[in-house]
Amino acid sequence: MITASQVVKRYPGGFEAIRGASFEIAEGEIALIGGHSGAGKTTLLKLLGAMERPTSGSLIVCGQNVAALRSGVLPFLRRNLGFVFQDQKLLFDRSALDNILLPLEIIGLSPKEAQRRARAALDKVGLLSREKAYPIALSGGEQQRLAIARAVVNRPSILLADEPTANLDEESARQVLDLFLAFNQAKVTVVIATHAPQIISGRSLKRLTLSHGALLP
Amino acid sequence: MYTWFQQHLRAFSRALKRLLASPLNTLLSMLVIGIAITLPAAGYAIIDNVQALGKGHSGAQQISIFMELDASSAAVAEVRRRLKTRTPGQWRFVPRDEAFERLKNTEGMAEIISSLPRNPLPDAFILEPEDKSPDALEALRAETSSWPGIAHTQLDSAWIKRFDAFLQLGRQAVHLLALVFAVGLIAVTFNTIRLQVFAQAEEIEVARLIGATDAFIRRPFYYFGLLQGVLGGVAAVFLLFFGLTAIRPAVTQLTALYGSGFVLHPPGIADCLALIAAGGALGWVGAQLSVSLALRQQKATQR
């Protein structure tokens, strides 16, 4: 599902955020990307989400080499990926339901089918009763769950999450993680970047630990 | 195909919602675009009307031959003979009494004519030669003016030429005006759309991140430009129609004083549709230029 080989990300000015990372994540696996602050977790996640391009090396995601991806193909790769951003990136001028409808509008689903799927996604994250609420009226945990619903509504094959439990209380964090585990059971590959890799324990996980841009063995 | 249609329908309805969400801005833009279209369109309408007025008069290339006031009937007969033998084409004789009667019946002239002690008009011949080339006409005019008993000859097409030249100048001025206002209209749409793109930068960024194509992002802005232009075109049609209707009685009254039955006509349905289509097309072009530039800038800053 994901194969990285000697991936390097160097920013203008020469700073190397990722230094020669090589790893594989199989279909249906859960992978935790850990490491200290500034280790390169978010950069690696952005590379996996094709929001950044590797400077060198090869990164294959869903059969596409992100390093050599044509701009015309990029949107279609992203439709296969669900992304939960650290800052959620919810649209505050749209209701919860309308936020979830956006990815479905993008793929051109009929309004009826889109509404049905969006409500099902909201139901899955426990927010169906808040479908008309605007994000500003939702708690931090609810906003995070809404962001997850938007990420999975398109039934992606890979779910990428950047610090999904940061700023959440213990109960909300538990609910969010349970959702990831539930999606993983439905064969969705889940990749979570977190500075607290102990958030999920007692399961067979792939753990990738970064230190100053390099993967620790 | 269904998906494509759905996405266009959604983009159109989103554009319409954006227009309705800020009615004052929409109204002002509509007025600005409407006025920008109205000014050259009014020029076209007036030139069109004046052209129609010109067409009502004979555009034939004529030579008028005026006999001397005291020309004898023998002199008239001689001219008649020469015309018969030497000039291919049509001609007719206008006796001085007939010309005097016609002048008397002309609006506003009766009083002046009746105050004259005698008929001041000469006998005349009106020629419509077969060869209407300017050189042939001028040669014929010069030849006839040297005939005995001829006081004056005149190429009657001269005023038509002047009139056409005037119309040509007017048309060019209107074209130039239309070009200037078209650029202005594109600039207005460009700016409106640019502000919209910046206001929706967050939504655009999110849409891109979750798989929106450039076409998906651009579409609502294109429809917005198109709708704004179409509404401007509709405003222009109303402004033009009411403007021409308002000045119509005054124009009719003025031309009646010169003995003309000229009536200023408002634009027809085809002209109105053309104005609306022009507004829509220019709005679309403005939106296209604006979105391309703004999205390119946005991509560059997000990179």
Side-chain angles (χ1 to χ4, degrees), chain A residues 89-100:
Chain A
K89 294 201 186 298
L90 295 171
L91 299 174
F92 280 75
D93 60 344
R94 291 185 179 212
S95 69
L97 182 67
D98 285 342
N99 266 277
I100 310 299

Side-chain angles (χ1 to χ4, degrees), chain A residues 51 75-76 78-79 85 89-91 93-94 102-103 105-111 114 150, chain B residues 2-3 6-7 10 14 202-214 216 299 303:
Chain A
M51 284 168 231
F76 300 97
R78 283 184 178 159
R79 291 176 195 182
F85 304 93
K89 294 201 186 298
L90 295 171
L91 299 174
D93 60 344
R94 291 185 179 212
L102 183 61
E105 282 176 18
I106 287 170
I107 61 167
L109 225 55
S110 72
R150 188 183 61 190
Chain B
Y2 175 78
T3 303
Q6 278 291 332
Q7 289 191 330
R10 276 205 183 106
R14 194 174 296 172
E202 206 182 350
E203 187 177 331
I204 291 169
E205 188 199 348
V206 172
R208 267 217 187 96
L209 290 173
I210 59 180
T213 57
D214 270 4
F216 179 89
K299 268 186 186 171
R303 206 165 279 157

